[in-house]
Amino acid sequence: MSFATLLRRDVPASLVVFLVAVPLSLGIALASGAPIVAGLIAAVVGGVIAGLFGGSVLQVSGPAAGLTVVVAETISRFGWAATCAMVVAAGALQILLGLSRIARAALAISPAIVHGMLGGIGLTIVLGQLHVVLGGAAQSSALDNLLALPGQLIGSHDTAAFIGVLTIGILLLWPRLPKAVRKVPGPLAAITLTTVLALVAGLQLDRIELPGNLLEITFVPQFPEGGWFDIGIAVLTIALIASVESLLSAIAVDKLHTGPRANLNRELVGQGMANMASGAIGGLPVTGVIVRSSTNVAAGARTRASAVLHGVWVLLFSVLLAGLLESIPLAALGGLLVHVGAKLLNVGTIREVHRHGDLPIYLVTLLGVVFLDMLTGVLLGIAASLLMMLLRTRSKIHAESDGDRWRVVVDGALTFLAIPKLSKVLAAIPARTEVNIELVVDYLDHAAFENLSNWQLAHERGGGTVVVDEIGHPYYERGKSGAPTVSRLAAAPVLPRWLASWSDWQAKTGPHLPDQRSAPPSTAQLRLGTSEFQRRTAPLVQGTLSGLADGQNPHTLFITCADSRIVPNLITTSGPGDLFAVRNIGNLVPAGSDSGPQDSSVAASIEYAVGVLRVPEVVVCGHSGCGAMKLMLDSTAELPVVREWLRHAEPSLHRYEKNSPVSLNGELPEAEGDRLALHNILQQLRHLRRYPVVAEAEARGELHLTGMYFDVGAAQVYLFDPASGAFEPAGEPAACRQD
């Protein structure tokens, strides 16, 4: 960190954050029922200690609204001195969590729970502080505050209510004022204006009270006698909420800048140290605060010096200008807290949670926090999230009939939760029928296995037949063989059927489909494959194909061998409408002559793809183990028609015999036919450039020619690199290539 950066960036940013922190710290202390000075102590300690030792460079820490309800309940039950002792213990627990390097585990908590918790805290603050703003006193619970609110609204209101409502009005109006005015933080402006008005008008109001000398700290935290279980729960609650809020804030801050990323484990240690120090000298719990942190980033901070300096400014202001703080009306702080609490009920966040389908989790957590307590609300939210997860993993089960033949499809995770639906569907199938059960399952547990197995045995004893077809890992068959898969991690990866060959998936399926039984043996695999397409793949691709019904706009003319092992869409990860394919033995492009091309079929495809469809790329793809290349090296085979076609490959053979070998990633293929195949690809690219339509498009910069080689056995694609004169592995970064 340079001294110039400190003066130009961090010092001004720290002053802006300081102006935001002071009124918020006072208001949070008021809402928590703690001594007002406790908010200032937490702001100083959070800024200096968490700023120095935390893992997020630009995060600013201090007292946060997220813990007001917990702290208020703890103070009410155990007293202020005991609460401070619990804050010290919570800080020690945070340090242990950080040192154990499990900080990221806290992120497993659903965001809907965290936002619901904050929303519940915000609503609780609003319900309580509205009474203060309107000239009354907050009740002992959120429910009591809610029930008493109508009477408070229609009752008589004094000057305190005027100041509180005016504070809220200023905060609501401030974001709509000109940018130059908004350089002053809204909370600071609202508190300053209402305080000045109250002083000038001589209003008689309750105001902040501070100790005579803030530097004389004689406070000693102490645990109460007995009730250790309840104390432990309170310590754990403070530690977990402070940790989760700090970690989520650190991650949010990372999204606001491009500097160093937060070290979450170190951040927990820094927060723990700050809480131990704050609790030891009578301060509120400390967390990372997104309001202060985002202000810090927006103000131009570059290093952690800004957060540290903000704490120093709070200390100096509190000691040297304590009289100004004692002029602030409590009603103004109440109005500030109503605004802060309302912002925790963020409409944008609620919409985002709703879009993800987690609104029930949010509402359960929020209502639990408001009407029960913080810990119970969070636990209810966790239970709701687990229930939602289980409901979302239930299988989709349906059955359809074709006369005496039935087809049952089970899709998803087949667990005990799906047994009622599975039993209902299977019970509706008549006895003595042929049933094909298709299991497309991510996992099958013991209860579901037994239910399915028992039904199968009963149906077969009643004269029916059952064929179970597992599409994916064989969970069911492994269970019947006595070797069940009990973990999804133990399941071997299985190719989807549209990528696997017939021999892979039809072997165990057998000819049990209705249209398969009457088919000749020679067409059995094809008919089963087309039936599978219509039942499974067609619904998935119909939308794409409907958009291509009236025309095509392919990206690539793909010229490759007729070899059955080469599947162009598989090795290029493409689909309908992407490739204009030309296939022939040896992936040949006839060279042409002065009177025109020697093969009108290939030439017509090239002319149409380049001249009409205007594809931007042409690929010539050869492969290992090519039969055409082997025939070029073996003149004994008597295949007159094939030999006539392979005369177009003679220039490739001449090139192979006269030039140096072409390498694959710096190495030469072992088989001579594969070495010839590499030269053949390059020769066919040369032939392509003899076609006028190709030459003209390439000259205009509208066409690129690519040489590709597919090693069948290694399932590796290589692309020709003109700079090196060799074929390089596709998709492999240059730094990872083996020379």
Side-chain angles (χ1 to χ4, degrees):
M1 177 187 67
S2 66
F3 187 70
T5 299
L6 176 65
L7 290 179
R8 186 163 51 93
R9 296 284 191 178
D10 293 319
V11 171
S14 68
L15 289 170
V16 174
V17 178
F18 150 70
L19 295 176
V20 173
V22 170
L24 289 178
S25 299
L26 295 173
I28 290 167
L30 176 65
S32 301
I36 293 294
V37 71
L40 297 174
I41 292 173
V44 173
V45 172
V48 175
I49 296 182
L52 281 174
F53 300 104
S56 178
V57 174
L58 298 183
Q59 173 151 277
V60 181
S61 300
L67 277 166
T68 52
V69 175
V70 172
V71 173
E73 291 176 352
T74 307
I75 294 174
S76 174
R77 184 170 183 181
F78 299 102
W80 174 236
T83 299
C84 290
M86 295 176 195
V87 172
V88 174
L93 181 57
Q94 284 183 290
I95 293 175
L96 291 177
L97 291 174
L99 294 176
S100 63
R101 310 187 68 81
I102 61 169
R104 290 189 178 274
L107 302 181
I109 298 176
S110 169
I113 297 174
V114 177
H115 293 309
M117 176 192 74
L118 295 176
I121 292 169
L123 184 56
T124 303
I125 292 174
V126 169
L127 291 175
Q129 294 303 312
L130 271 177
H131 288 276
V132 176
V133 168
L134 296 174
Q139 306 297 313
S140 59
S141 70
L143 181 60
D144 291 336
N145 282 321
L146 181 62
L147 295 175
L149 190 57
Q152 188 71 60
L153 288 171
I154 63 176
S156 60
H157 305 299
D158 54 13
T159 53
F162 169 72
I163 291 296
V165 172
L166 179 61
T167 304
I168 297 173
I170 294 173
L171 289 168
L172 294 175
L173 177 65
W174 204 255
R176 296 175 173 83
L177 296 180
K179 186 176 181 180
V181 177
R182 285 187 282 112
K183 288 184 178 180
V184 178
L188 177 66
I191 296 298
T192 301
L193 290 174
T194 52
T195 300
V196 170
L197 176 62
L199 291 174
V200 171
L203 301 180
Q204 298 300 314
L205 299 167
D206 291 333
R207 303 178 188 275
I208 289 176
E209 295 182 4
L210 296 176
N213 187 348
L214 294 180
L215 294 180
E216 293 181 1
I217 300 175
T218 59
F219 178 84
V220 178
Q222 58 184 7
F223 281 108
E225 296 180 1
W228 291 107
F229 177 79
D230 293 335
I231 293 173
I233 292 296
V235 169
L236 182 62
T237 302
I238 294 172
L240 290 180
I241 294 174
S243 298
V244 171
E245 188 168 347
S246 297
L247 294 177
L248 291 177
S249 175
I251 291 172
V253 172
D254 276 352
K255 297 178 181 179
L256 301 178
H257 67 90
T258 58
R261 303 294 90 181
N263 181 327
L264 298 183
N265 291 304
R266 177 180 171 181
E267 181 64 22
L268 268 191
V269 173
Q271 294 292 334
M273 294 172 66
N275 272 313
M276 291 189 71
S278 182
I281 58 177
L284 288 171
V286 170
T287 75
V289 186
I290 188 58
V291 175
R292 302 181 200 193
S293 303
S294 59
T295 302
N296 191 38
V297 175
R302 291 293 182 270
T303 72
R304 62 178 70 244
S306 176
V308 175
L309 285 173
H310 123 274
V312 174
W313 304 143
V314 174
L315 175 62
L316 293 176
F317 182 85
S318 302
V319 173
L320 301 178
L321 300 173
L324 290 179
L325 295 179
E326 293 180 326
S327 301
I328 298 175
L330 293 180
L333 289 181
L336 174 62
L337 285 169
V338 169
H339 183 261
V340 170
K343 290 185 70 174
L344 290 177
L345 285 162
N346 189 289
V347 176
T349 297
I350 296 174
R351 289 173 178 166
E352 182 69 17
V353 169
H354 178 62
R355 279 196 293 268
H356 286 277
D358 288 341
L359 187 58
I361 300 173
Y362 176 90
L363 293 176
V364 166
T365 307
L366 182 147
L367 295 175
V369 169
V370 171
F371 295 110
L372 297 173
D373 58 68
M374 175 72 69
L375 181 59
T376 303
V378 171
L379 292 177
L380 287 174
I382 293 174
S385 68
L386 293 175
L387 179 60
M388 292 281 288
M389 179 190 69
L390 291 174
L391 293 175
R392 287 166 175 168
T393 57
R394 288 186 304 175
S395 296
K396 297 178 181 178
I397 305 170
H398 73 274
E400 55 191 45
S401 64
D402 179 15
D404 290 336
R405 299 188 180 97
W406 283 74
R407 173 172 169 259
V408 180
V409 179
V410 182
D411 194 352
L414 188 55
T415 66
F416 64 94
L417 292 174
I419 289 179
K421 178 68 178 294
L422 178 64
S423 300
K424 180 180 178 181
V425 171
L426 295 178
I429 298 176
R432 295 183 295 278
T433 53
E434 298 180 17
V435 183
N436 171 222
I437 299 178
E438 296 181 13
L439 294 180
V440 193
V441 298
D442 302 314
Y443 179 69
L444 185 146
D445 72 0
H446 189 195
F449 169 84
E450 282 200 352
N451 185 271
L452 184 59
S453 179
N454 292 337
W455 179 87
Q456 179 181 2
L457 292 174
H459 191 76
E460 289 174 342
R461 282 196 299 265
T465 61
V466 180
V467 176
V468 179
D469 178 16
E470 292 189 83
I471 303 171
H473 188 81
Y475 288 100
Y476 189 68
E477 282 303 317
R478 282 202 173 184
K480 293 180 74 67
S481 67
T485 301
V486 296
S487 170
R488 293 179 65 174
L489 298 176
V494 179
L495 279 175
R497 287 193 174 183
W498 51 88
L499 296 181
S501 65
W502 286 339
S503 59
D504 284 339
W505 66 269
Q506 289 187 8
K508 67 184 180 64
T509 301
H512 56 267
L513 293 178
D515 59 350
Q516 172 76 352
R517 297 176 181 278
S518 58
S522 58
T523 64
Q525 289 185 323
L526 178 62
R527 284 179 175 268
L528 187 55
T530 55
S531 297
E532 180 72 10
F533 168 80
Q534 290 301 142
R535 288 185 294 123
R536 296 201 170 277
T537 310
L540 301 177
V541 300
Q542 193 275 329
T544 300
L545 292 175
S546 66
L548 298 169
D550 297 326
Q552 59 173 320
N553 185 30
H555 176 273
T556 301
L557 168 60
F558 199 87
I559 303 172
T560 191
C561 187
D563 194 296
S564 63
R565 298 167 294 177
I566 308 304
V567 186
N569 293 109
L570 175 63
I571 65 176
T572 59
T573 316
S574 55
D578 293 331
L579 304 180
F580 189 87
V582 175
R583 306 191 67 157
N584 59 59
I585 295 177
N587 45 273
L588 302 179
V589 179
S593 63
D594 294 338
S595 59
Q598 297 174 335
D599 181 88
S600 59
S601 174
V602 177
S605 298
I606 295 171
E607 183 178 281
Y608 188 79
V610 178
V612 179
L613 300 177
R614 298 191 178 280
V615 296
E617 183 172 32
V618 180
V619 173
V620 176
C621 177
H623 65 96
S624 62
C626 181
M629 298 301 100
K630 293 177 182 178
L631 287 175
M632 291 298 297
L633 297 170
D634 179 11
S635 59
T636 61
E638 296 183 4
L639 297 168
V641 178
V642 175
R643 289 291 180 190
E644 174 65 20
W645 169 252
L646 289 180
R647 61 190 172 85
H648 299 303
E650 290 177 359
S652 300
L653 183 60
H654 296 325
R655 177 190 178 99
Y656 169 69
E657 293 173 344
K658 295 180 179 180
N659 292 276
S660 301
V662 181
S663 68
L664 285 175
N665 196 27
E667 298 181 357
L668 299 181
E670 295 182 4
E672 187 178 9
D674 295 346
R675 296 196 292 270
L676 173 58
L678 297 176
H679 276 285
N680 180 57
I681 295 169
L682 302 181
Q683 186 64 36
Q684 303 316 308
L685 291 175
R686 178 176 294 182
H687 290 176
L688 269 171
R689 291 187 171 93
R690 296 184 184 179
Y691 287 76
V693 68
V694 173
E696 293 169 4
E698 191 175 25
R700 293 193 302 268
E702 298 174 356
L703 185 66
H704 182 265
L705 305 187
T706 300
M708 179 184 293
Y709 178 84
F710 182 58
D711 186 334
V712 176
Q716 175 66 57
V717 175
Y718 296 86
L719 299 176
F720 181 69
D721 179 12
S724 64
F727 284 81
E728 303 290 348
E732 183 177 341
C736 299
R737 292 174 182 167
Q738 301 295 323
D739 295 329

